Amino acid sequence: MTTRPEVDAGDVSADPGVITASSAAIEGRSLWRIAWMRLRRDRAALAGALVILVLLMIAGFAPMIVKALGTSPNEFHQDLIDTEGGTMAPLGSFGGMSWDHPMGLEPVNGRDIFSRVVYGSRISLLIAFFATLLSVAIGTTLGVVAGFFGGWVDAAISRLMDMFLAFPLLVFAIAIAGIMPDQALGLEGNTLRVTLLIFIIGFFNWPYIGRIIRGQTLSLREREYVDAARGLGARRPHILVVEILPNLVGPILVYTTLLIPANIIFESGLSFLGVGIRPPTASWGGMLSDAVTFYTMPHFMFWPGLAIFVTVLSFNLLGDGLRDAVDPKGSSARR
């Protein structure tokens, strides 16, 4: 029986293959890669992301989906409504559900609910995404400026945030929608109303993300790498753009996914109150408002309500998953 000679661990020349293999086994991982590995293990967040992707595809290809079904969101089917019985309910069981109308029909006019839910997704997602983009742009800019410069600049922006947070946004939106003309700024009809809703929701909701970014910036500006950049003579714009903003991408992304569902609910609430999108353009909130009159026909209210519920839940699941992936210590502390 032969014995292998012992190899001195400190002798690098003893077995170079061992050193090379161990060096190749050690692989650096970026923070984004680590976050992605954590997110990939969160099945709820991945399910939410998958549902959001499907919803975006449905909203983007709504005309083709409805055309393939052979109907239209504003097409009346009076022949499928019980006009003789006096109830004006759709003929058939479960609100007239069939292969041609998988979600049934609206009472009285007989419009296809599936087509209107599909087209309503375009309105809700369009307003929510662009309003969130406006809020994130304003909130990130003012939050970074307030947190980085401090002093009177921070005090002024913080008081401005307090004013916006105390503003009665719902009452203001109802008042503006009531006095809004049919044509302004070269826009008219629902195009004008969509633009106005995006501005109202986005412009008055920026303090929510602005406060988060301000707090993160206050923490980041005291980090060692920021002090090192100052010591090397870096100017303030360089520190803001190169050192601080890249480290704010995670919180911005997380709170963006949490702000979108809040904007979807707010837009649906305005349409429910009759100050959002005007009929016959389909919107989820408007469909719920119309369904209140026909409370004896729950299918009319069920489908748009389910669409809002699934959309908001999916964004919240994705937002929670992103938050846990980007900041695992904070998420464990919250639990």
Side-chain angles (χ1 to χ4, degrees):
M1 180 176 180
T2 59
T3 58
R4 296 181 60 184
E6 295 184 359
V7 179
D8 186 4
D11 188 3
V12 178
S13 61
D15 195 350
V18 175
I19 304 299
T20 304
S22 60
S23 301
I26 301 176
E27 182 181 358
R29 296 172 180 173
S30 65
L31 293 178
W32 287 108
R33 185 175 179 183
I34 296 174
W36 164 244
M37 292 175 63
R38 296 194 191 104
L39 181 63
R40 195 169 55 183
R41 292 193 294 266
D42 192 338
R43 295 183 179 180
L46 292 180
L50 180 61
V51 173
I52 292 171
L53 181 61
V54 172
L55 287 171
L56 291 175
M57 294 179 64
I58 290 175
F61 297 100
M64 288 184 286
I65 295 174
V66 172
K67 185 177 180 181
L69 195 63
T71 184
S72 171
N74 296 319
E75 181 181 354
F76 292 173
H77 299 277
Q78 295 290 342
D79 55 321
L80 300 177
I81 300 297
D82 184 13
T83 56
E84 297 180 358
T87 60
M88 303 301 290
L91 297 172
S93 58
F94 301 105
M97 292 178 59
S98 64
W99 289 108
D100 294 329
H101 308 285
M103 292 184 180
L105 300 170
E106 291 184 351
V108 180
N109 51 44
R111 291 182 297 191
D112 180 65
I113 294 180
F114 176 79
S115 301
R116 294 186 62 78
V117 169
V118 169
Y119 267 83
S121 66
R122 309 184 85 184
I123 296 295
S124 295
L125 293 176
L126 176 69
I127 294 177
F129 272 110
F130 280 97
T132 302
L133 185 63
L134 180 60
S135 297
V136 169
I138 300 175
T140 300
T141 302
L142 294 182
V144 168
V145 170
F148 183 75
F149 290 96
W152 67 269
V153 176
D154 184 19
I157 296 179
S158 297
R159 299 295 77 77
L160 184 64
M161 291 182 184
D162 295 336
M163 290 174 57
F164 273 83
L165 290 173
F167 197 82
L169 179 57
L170 181 60
V171 176
F172 177 76
I174 294 174
I176 289 296
I179 64 174
M180 183 179 59
D182 294 332
Q183 186 175 4
L185 304 174
L187 303 174
E188 60 181 355
N190 280 326
T191 303
L192 176 61
R193 300 185 78 85
V194 168
T195 304
L196 183 64
L197 287 175
I198 290 174
F199 174 77
I200 292 175
I201 298 174
F203 183 74
F204 287 93
N205 276 337
W206 67 264
Y208 294 99
I209 191 171
R211 279 189 163 186
I212 301 298
I213 299 303
R214 172 185 172 274
Q216 293 288 331
T217 305
L218 287 173
S219 175
L220 290 175
R221 73 175 186 179
E222 305 298 331
R223 297 292 178 88
E224 292 81 1
Y225 57 83
V226 175
D227 292 335
R230 288 196 189 99
L232 292 173
R235 298 181 179 272
R236 286 181 173 180
H238 175 84
I239 296 176
L240 278 173
V241 175
V242 177
E243 304 294 342
I244 293 182
L245 277 179
N247 292 283
L248 291 174
V249 174
I252 292 173
L253 183 62
V254 169
Y255 286 98
T256 296
T257 57
L258 296 176
L259 190 59
I260 290 176
N263 290 339
I264 291 177
I265 293 178
F266 191 80
E267 181 276 328
S268 299
L270 290 177
S271 296
F272 180 83
L273 294 174
V275 295
I277 303 302
R278 289 181 176 176
T281 302
S283 66
W284 291 341
M287 294 179 67
L288 286 176
S289 179
D290 295 338
V292 171
T293 309
F294 304 95
Y295 57 89
T296 58
M297 306 175 192
H299 79 281
F300 191 13
M301 182 180 293
F302 174 76
W303 295 112
L306 180 65
I308 296 174
F309 173 78
V310 171
T311 304
V312 172
L313 178 63
S314 300
F315 275 105
N316 284 334
L317 289 176
L318 178 59
D320 290 340
L322 286 173
R323 181 176 57 190
D324 295 343
V326 173
D327 185 17
K329 294 182 179 179
S331 61
S332 60
R334 284 189 292 271
R335 294 192 183 96

